[in-house]
C-alpha cells in the first residue's frame, strides 16, 4: 500500500499550496482529487457569470514573487475561466501535477492508533497510508440540491451552478427557471437573461447585492499594482478581512445624515465588499446596520422600474452583511428586461413539477431548463460526506452532531494527525480565503517541522482547548449581527444541520496573532506525543 508523510485531500488553492509547501520541506506527499483537474471550487463552478467577488490582485497567492510577477490579471474581478487558468499556471509552474491523483475520490479515512497514522480508501486508486491527513476540501464544495416536491417528474434539463457541465450548456432561446438568489444566482441571472428566451427567477429570500463595477484593468494600473504587491500584501495581512481595501475607519452612528448618505454613496460607487468593511459599526449596531440596509433598498427601488418587483427584491428579514453580501454586475437592472419574471416563492410556494412545468400554489411555469443555484453544505459538507474515523473508530460526523468545531479551526480532538485547512472556527469564509489558506498552510508547516525535529509522532487538539476556542468563537459571533440570519455560516440552509456559527468573526489579523501566540507557547492546547514518551 503506498505510504506518505502527508496525504492532502483536494487540489484547490489549499491543496496546491499545501503540496508545494510540504514538498519543499522534504515531506513525501500525495494529493487526492476527485475532479479531473486542479482548481477546486473554480473547477466545478462554471456557470455563466461565475466570478470571484474579491479583487483579483487580492484573491491570488502571495507566497511567490515569481508567480505574482509572471501572472497578469485582466480584470478587477476575474471570471472563473481566468481563475482556473491561474490555478493551472501555478500547478505547472511549481510542477505539482506529478504528485496529484486526479479522478480519485476519498471514500473513507480511519486512524490507526497503533501506527499513529491514517489509512485512506479511494474509489479508483485503492488504499493509501499516511502519517498526516490534510483536508484541503474547501468550505463550499458540496452542492446542495433542495428537496423540491416532485422534481423527479420534470423532464427538462436540470443544472446546478456548482456542478455545471464542462462543455457548457445551450440556453439560447429557452424557457429557463432559476431557483436561488445567493451569490451564484445573482451572478448567473444577468447572463442567463441575455441568452434565454425567458427567465423566471424563483426567489425565496432576497439578498443584498452591491455592484462590482467590474471591468478590464488598464495596462498602467496592472503595472502599478504589480510594483506595489509587497505593500498590498502587507496591508491585507494586517487587516480584518485579509484584503488590501481600506476598512473600518467610518462609524455610521457618528456621522450626520448627510455624511452617512455621502459615505454610503461613495462605497456603493466603489463597489464590492467594502460597502460592509468600511464601516466599523455595521455588524455590531442594529441601528447602524438598518441605515446601511435602507440605503441599498433605496437603490433597488431606484433601479427596478416595476414597484412590486422592486419591493420583492428588497431584503427585509436579515441585517445587511449577516448573509454574505452579493457582488453583482447588472443584477437589479435585469428585472427591467421584458423576458425576466420574478416569482416570490415564499408568498406563492413551489408545490410540484410536471414533465414540463414548475407549479406553485397559484401558478404554473413552462420550463425547458431548471437551474439550481441553491448553494452548498458549507464548511463541513466535504468533511462529513464520507466516513472519517478517529480514535476508537469514532466518526467525525458524530463528533460534530451538536455542532462543528475545531481547535483554531484546524485540528479536531479525537482525530490526531488530521488537519483541516480553513475549518470551522477559523476566519475562512469571512476573510479573503486565499490568504486564510496561506496562513493555515504556513502555520501547519511550522507545526509539522516542529514535530519532525522533536520526534513527535502524534499531534492532537486537546478537548478543553477546542471547547474553549469554540466557546470564544461563538461568544464573539454573538456580539455581532452575524447570527441574526438563516445563513450558511451557521448551517441554517441545510435541514437538520446543527445551527452553530462556524467562522471566526474577530478578523484575520487577530486570528493570526492568536495562532502565533499558541505556537510560541509550545503549541498550547495541543497534545504532542513524543516517541520517547511512548517508549517509556
Ligand atoms: P447561497 O448563498 O446559499 O444561496 C442559495 C440560494 O438558494 C438562496 O437564495 C436560497 O434561498 C435558495 N434556496 C435554497 N433552497 C431553496 C428552496 N428549496 N427553494 C427556494 N430557494 C432555495 O449559495 P450560493 O451558491 O449562491 O453562494 C454560496 C457562496 O458561494 C457565496 O456566498 C460565495 O461565498 C460563493 P434562502 O436564502 O435559503 O431562502
Amino acid at each position: 500500500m503506498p505510504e506518505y508523510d502527508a496525504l492532502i485531500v483536494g487540489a484547490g488553492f489549499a491543496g496546491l499550496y499545501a503540496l508545494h509547501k510540504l514538498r519543499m520541506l522534504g515531506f513525501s506527499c500525495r494529493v487526492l482529487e476527485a475532479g479531473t483537474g486542479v482548481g477546486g471550487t473554480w473547477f466545478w463552478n462554471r456557470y455563466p457569470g461565475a466570478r470571484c467577488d474579491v479583487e483579483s490582485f487580492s484573491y491570488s497567492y502571495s507566497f511567490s514573487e515569481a508567480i505574482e510577477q509572471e501572472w497578469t490579471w485582466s480584470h478587477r474581478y476575474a471570471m472563473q475561466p481566468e481563475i482556473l487558468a491561474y490555478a493551472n499556471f501555478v500547478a505547472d509552474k511549481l510542477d505539482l501535477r506529478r504528485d496529484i491523483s486526479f479522478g480519485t475520490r476519498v471514500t473513507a479515512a480511519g486512524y490507526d492508533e497503533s501506527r499513529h497514522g491514517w489509512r485512506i480508501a479511494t474509489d479508483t486508486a485503492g488504499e493509501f497510508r499516511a502519517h498526516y491527513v490534510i483536508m484541503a476540501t474547501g468550505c463550499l464544495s458540496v452542492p446542495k440540491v433542495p428537496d423540491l416536491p416532485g422534481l423527479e417528474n420534470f423532464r427538462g434539463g436540470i443544472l446546478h451552478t456548482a456542478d455545471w457541465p464542462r462543455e457548457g450548456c445551450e440556453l439560447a432561446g429557452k424557457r429557463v427557471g432559476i431557483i436561488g438568489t445567493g451569490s451564484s444566482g445573482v451572478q448567473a441571472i444577468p447572463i442567463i437573461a441575455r441568452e434565454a428566451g425567458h427567465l423566471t427567477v424563483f426567489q425565496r429570500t432576497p439578498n443584498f447585492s452591491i455592484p462590482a463595477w467590474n471591468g478590464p484593468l488598464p495596462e498602467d494600473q496592472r503595472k502599478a499594482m504589480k510594483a506595489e504587491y509587497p505593500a498590498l500584501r502587507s496591508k491585507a495581512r494586517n487587516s480584518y478581512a485579509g484584503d488590501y481595501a481600506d476598512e473600518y475607519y467610518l462609524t455610521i452612528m457618528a456621522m450626520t445624515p448627510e455624511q452617512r448618505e455621502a459615505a454610503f454613496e461613495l462605497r456603493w460607487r466603489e463597489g464590492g465588499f467594502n460597502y460592509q468593511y468600511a464601516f466599523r459599526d455595521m455588524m455590531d449596531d442594529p441601528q447602524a446596520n438598518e441605515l446601511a440596509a435602507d440605503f441599498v433598498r433605496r437603490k433597488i427601488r431606484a433601479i427596478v422600474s416595476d414597484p412590486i418587483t422592486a419591493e420583492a427584491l428588497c431584503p427585509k428579514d436579515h441585517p445587511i452583511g449577516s448573509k454574505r453580501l452579493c457582488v453583482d454586475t447588472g443584477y437589479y437592472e435585469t428585472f427591467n428586461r421584458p423576458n425576466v419574471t420574478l416569482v416570490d416563492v415564499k408568498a406563492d410556494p413551489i408545490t410540484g413539477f410536471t414533465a414540463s412545468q414548475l407549479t406553485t400554489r397559484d401558478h404554473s411555469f413552462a420550463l425547458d431548463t431548471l437551474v439550481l443555484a441553491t448553494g452548498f453544505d458549507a464548511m463541513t459538507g466535504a468533511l462529513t460526506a464520507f466516513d472519517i474515523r478517529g480514535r476508537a473508530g469514532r466518526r467525525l460526523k458524530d463528533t460534530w452532531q451538536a455542532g462543528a468545531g475545531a481547535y483554531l479551526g484546524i485540528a479536531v480532538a479525537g482525530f490526531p494527525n488530521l488537519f483541516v485547512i480553513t475549518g470551522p472556527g477559523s476566519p475562512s469564509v469571512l476573510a479573503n480565503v486565499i490568504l486564510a489558506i496561506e496562513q493555515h498552510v504556513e502555520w501547519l508547516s511550522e507545526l509539522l517541522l516542529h514535530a519532525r525535529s522533536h520526534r513527535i509522532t502524534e499531534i492532537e487538539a486537546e478537548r478543553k482547548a477546542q471547547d474553549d476556542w469554540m466557546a470564544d468563537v461563538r461568544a464573539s459571533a454573538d456580539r455581532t449581527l452575524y447570527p441574526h440570519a438563516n445563513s450558511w455560516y451557521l448551517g441554517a440552509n441545510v435541514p437538520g444541520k446543527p445551527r452553530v456559527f462556524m467562522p471566526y468573526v474577530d478578523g484575520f489579523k487577530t486570528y493570526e496573532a492568536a495562532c502565533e501566540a499558541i505556537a510560541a507557547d509550545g503549541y498550547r492546547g495541543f497534545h504532542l506525543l513524543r516517541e520517547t514518551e511512548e517508549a517509556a
Side-chain angles (χ1 to χ4, degrees):
M1 191 184 306
E3 188 153 359
Y4 295 92
D5 292 331
L7 271 178
I8 298 162
V9 187
F13 283 114
L16 293 180
Y17 186 37
L19 170 60
H20 171 66
K21 187 82 190 167
L22 292 181
R23 215 168 62 172
M24 295 294 282
L25 296 174
F27 292 96
S28 62
C29 301
R30 182 113 209 125
V31 175
L32 305 176
E33 165 58 53
T36 53
V38 299
T41 200
W42 300 106
F43 177 85
W44 300 104
N45 282 266
R46 296 164 188 258
Y47 60 86
R51 183 177 40 73
C52 186
D53 47 22
V54 176
E55 291 187 21
S56 313
F57 272 82
S58 202
Y59 190 88
S60 50
Y61 287 125
S62 66
F63 68 83
S64 160
E65 196 188 339
I67 290 173
E68 279 180 345
Q69 292 304 324
E70 270 183 52
W71 183 265
T72 301
W73 292 107
S74 69
H75 283 64
R76 178 179 179 191
Y77 297 98
M79 299 296 294
Q80 175 271 337
E82 189 170 358
I83 304 174
L84 188 60
Y86 172 75
N88 278 284
F89 163 78
V90 172
D92 291 336
K93 171 115 187 128
L94 302 177
D95 189 20
L96 299 178
R97 285 177 215 283
R98 65 185 156 91
D99 289 320
I100 304 176
S101 300
F102 291 106
T104 303
R105 185 176 285 280
V106 174
T107 53
Y111 188 62
D112 181 341
E113 296 189 53
S114 63
R115 299 173 69 121
H116 306 299
W118 287 84
R119 194 174 169 139
I120 279 104
T122 67
D123 59 351
T124 55
E127 295 198 4
F128 296 82
R129 279 191 199 280
H131 191 55
Y132 301 117
V133 169
I134 298 172
M135 299 300 292
T137 39
C139 296
L140 296 155
S141 48
V142 176
K144 192 188 127 239
V145 176
D147 196 7
L148 295 164
L151 182 61
E152 65 281 3
N153 300 327
F154 186 60
R155 292 283 158 262
I158 302 177
L159 301 163
H160 195 295
T161 46
D163 194 10
W164 202 261
R166 291 187 76 177
E167 62 283 7
C169 184
E170 186 56 68
L171 297 176
K174 292 206 170 140
R175 295 165 302 179
V176 180
I178 184 164
I179 298 179
T181 51
S183 299
S184 304
V186 162
Q187 288 184 351
I189 284 163
I191 310 290
I192 296 177
R194 275 189 246 149
E195 225 186 302
H198 195 91
L199 176 65
T200 309
V201 178
F202 299 97
Q203 172 190 266
R204 189 164 66 181
T205 313
N207 272 305
F208 291 96
S209 189
I210 308 296
W213 308 119
N214 196 20
L217 288 168
E219 178 64 21
D220 56 338
Q221 200 176 332
R222 285 189 241 159
K223 273 200 180 133
M225 288 181 87
K226 276 193 181 185
E228 263 183 77
Y229 255 134
L232 296 175
R233 300 300 194 186
S234 151
K235 194 171 173 198
R237 203 110 196 177
N238 285 294
S239 72
Y240 175 89
D243 189 40
Y244 52 62
D246 294 332
E247 57 183 22
Y248 285 153
Y249 57 89
L250 296 169
T251 305
I252 294 170
M253 298 314 293
M255 289 187 273
T256 64
E258 294 73 26
Q259 287 169 333
R260 264 199 297 265
E261 194 69 7
F264 290 147
E265 183 65 34
L266 179 68
R267 298 300 156 195
W268 176 272
R269 288 192 180 283
E270 284 175 359
F273 270 100
N274 221 26
Y275 189 82
Q276 178 170 342
Y277 293 137
F279 302 104
R280 65 175 78 235
D281 53 347
M282 192 198 277
M283 295 313 297
D284 303 332
D285 181 337
Q287 219 182 328
N289 187 284
E290 177 52 26
L291 288 163
D294 183 60
F295 179 86
V296 176
R297 288 193 287 261
R298 281 185 281 127
K299 284 288 185 193
I300 297 170
R301 291 182 191 117
I303 296 169
V304 179
S305 337
D306 172 44
I308 294 171
T309 305
E311 222 38 50
L313 286 166
C314 284
K316 291 171 192 138
D317 73 339
H318 62 277
I320 185 168
S322 59
K323 284 186 166 190
R324 198 168 185 277
L325 274 186
C326 300
V327 181
D328 71 277
T329 299
Y331 177 63
Y332 295 118
E333 290 82 349
T334 298
F335 293 90
N336 293 335
R337 293 177 64 101
N339 71 333
V340 175
T341 310
L342 181 70
V343 178
D344 176 355
V345 296
K346 227 173 218 163
D348 182 14
I350 297 172
T351 50
F353 289 83
T354 66
S356 59
Q357 290 184 328
L358 179 157
T359 56
T360 60
R361 191 190 56 205
D362 302 333
H363 297 93
S364 58
F365 302 87
L367 300 177
D368 302 308
T369 303
L370 178 68
V371 175
L372 300 174
T374 44
F376 302 87
D377 183 354
M379 309 204 62
T380 56
L383 300 163
T384 52
F386 63 91
D387 251 10
I388 300 180
R389 289 179 184 264
R391 277 197 195 289
R394 189 162 162 75
R395 294 196 313 168
L396 184 61
K397 199 173 182 168
D398 297 334
T399 303
W400 281 353
Q401 211 162 26
Y407 184 42
L408 299 181
I410 204 168
V412 185
F415 296 80
N417 293 353
L418 178 128
F419 305 97
V420 182
I421 303 300
T422 63
S426 72
S428 61
V429 292
L430 289 184
N432 169 11
V433 80
I434 294 220
L435 189 59
I437 284 168
E438 288 187 313
Q439 187 267 335
H440 260 192
V441 168
E442 285 156 16
W443 191 88
L444 179 59
S445 305
E446 288 299 317
L447 173 57
L448 300 191
L449 278 179
H450 175 86
R452 189 163 71 185
S453 61
H454 290 78
R455 305 185 76 78
I456 287 161
T457 56
E458 197 173 74
I459 304 169
E460 184 178 0
E462 289 169 3
R463 169 85 49 203
K464 181 168 179 340
Q466 178 178 317
D467 290 348
D468 289 350
W469 177 261
M470 288 311 295
D472 284 349
V473 167
R474 272 166 225 156
S476 287
D478 286 342
R479 285 191 287 273
T480 73
L481 299 171
Y482 278 108
H484 293 225
N486 291 322
S487 69
W488 55 257
Y489 293 143
L490 42 73
N493 64 327
V494 177
K497 191 165 171 174
R499 287 175 71 112
V500 170
F501 194 84
M502 292 176 278
Y504 173 98
V505 299
D506 288 331
F508 176 82
K509 185 184 171 189
T510 312
Y511 172 80
E512 182 167 36
C515 290
E516 294 310 324
I518 283 165
D521 205 5
Y523 294 99
R524 176 172 27 95
F526 285 92
H527 183 249
L528 306 177
L529 180 74
R530 287 170 195 261
E531 267 175 32
T532 45
E533 275 175 60
E534 195 182 18

